[in-house]
Amino acid sequence: LSAKNISNKFSISNLNITDNDLSISNAIYGENIAQFLLDFSTISNNTSIVNSTPNGSALFLSDVNEAKITYTTFNNNSTSSNGSSINFVNSKLNIDDTDFKNNSSQQNGGAIYNQNSFLTITGSNFINNKAIFGGAIFSSTNTTNILNRITFHENESQKGGAIYNDSNNPFKIISSLFSYNKATNNGGAIYNNKQISITNATFVHNQNSAILT
């Protein structure tokens, strides 16, 4: 599925996208769109090994004014590059009530990689995702992140078992659980290079320092 230069809404609902070769094309590609909506869908078992598409992600968004994902599952997607499930740049993305499970990246952001964007996630789960840096989420330059009521469980990377933050913009974590995440180097739950704010979060049995900042 591909959409480009749309001045109104691009909407996807109740769709099952599975077993695709992402080396040929992203499962969903959106560029220069006013509004993108994805809900009640499952995106699973999509793979990119030899990467010829933008970051080999199941969902790639660029220059989207407003994107929203709700009640969707990203499961067992993998890429040789960044962000196996979602990679987005120069966009505003809201994610609600969505699960990210068993996704992997051979670079950064096992589930999500973002850059120059605004990300809000509420009431969602990241379970058993893996990457080199940022087992679940890698936040790159100039991205604002607000995470509220999120569970990070058994994610793994070299640095930042659940989250690797390399953005100069605010990164806020509210009422969230980090449990049994693992970093082989530092930051079992979070590896933070910049600024971060954590309120009412619980950290349980994360390996190699829960937070490195």
Side-chain angles (χ1 to χ4, degrees):
L1 298 174
S2 179
K4 190 173 181 179
N5 301 324
I6 295 178
S7 59
N8 47 32
K9 184 187 297 185
F10 175 38
S11 182
I12 301 170
S13 185
N14 292 293
L15 193 65
N16 184 15
I17 302 175
T18 187
D19 298 319
N20 293 287
D21 180 1
L22 304 184
S23 304
I24 300 171
S25 175
N26 300 101
I28 303 173
Y29 179 92
E31 181 181 356
N32 192 22
I33 300 171
Q35 189 175 20
F36 171 84
L37 301 175
L38 173 66
D39 62 13
F40 297 100
S41 296
T42 299
I43 300 175
S44 63
N45 302 314
N46 300 289
T47 303
S48 169
I49 300 301
V50 180
N51 182 31
S52 59
T53 59
N55 294 291
S57 305
L59 169 61
F60 180 80
L61 299 175
S62 176
D63 299 289
V64 178
N65 293 342
E66 182 180 355
K68 187 168 186 178
I69 299 171
T70 58
Y71 300 108
T72 290
T73 297
F74 293 85
N75 182 56
N76 201 37
N77 300 292
S78 61
T79 180
S80 58
S81 189
N82 298 314
S84 68
S85 294
I86 301 174
N87 185 303
F88 67 105
V89 59
N90 300 327
S91 301
K92 181 179 180 181
L93 174 60
N94 292 300
I95 300 173
D96 297 328
D97 299 296
T98 290
D99 291 333
F100 297 85
K101 298 179 179 180
N102 308 311
N103 302 288
S104 62
S105 165
Q106 293 180 23
Q107 295 189 33
N108 301 321
I112 296 176
Y113 180 94
N114 57 33
Q115 184 175 358
N116 297 323
S117 297
F118 194 110
L119 174 65
T120 302
I121 309 178
T122 306
S124 298
N125 302 301
F126 292 82
I127 299 172
N128 195 36
N129 303 286
K130 297 179 180 180
I132 300 300
F133 292 163
I137 298 172
F138 187 99
S139 179
S140 188
T141 56
N142 301 320
T143 294
T144 297
N145 298 266
I146 301 174
L147 312 183
N148 188 7
R149 294 185 291 107
I150 312 300
T151 295
F152 294 94
H153 181 67
E154 291 188 340
N155 301 285
E156 184 177 347
S157 74
Q158 292 181 15
K159 293 183 178 180
I163 295 170
Y164 189 109
N165 178 37
D166 199 33
S167 174
N168 293 314
N169 291 7
F171 198 122
K172 298 181 180 180
I173 299 171
I174 306 162
S175 301
S176 295
L177 171 65
F178 294 81
S179 61
Y180 294 90
N181 300 287
K182 177 182 178 181
T184 56
N185 193 333
N186 290 306
I190 300 169
Y191 188 96
N192 178 53
N193 270 337
K194 308 296 181 179
Q195 59 173 313
I196 195 165
S197 171
I198 302 173
T199 306
N200 295 329
T202 301
F203 294 84
V204 180
H205 293 296
N206 300 284
Q207 183 174 322
N208 269 343
S209 300
I211 305 171
L212 183 68
T213 186

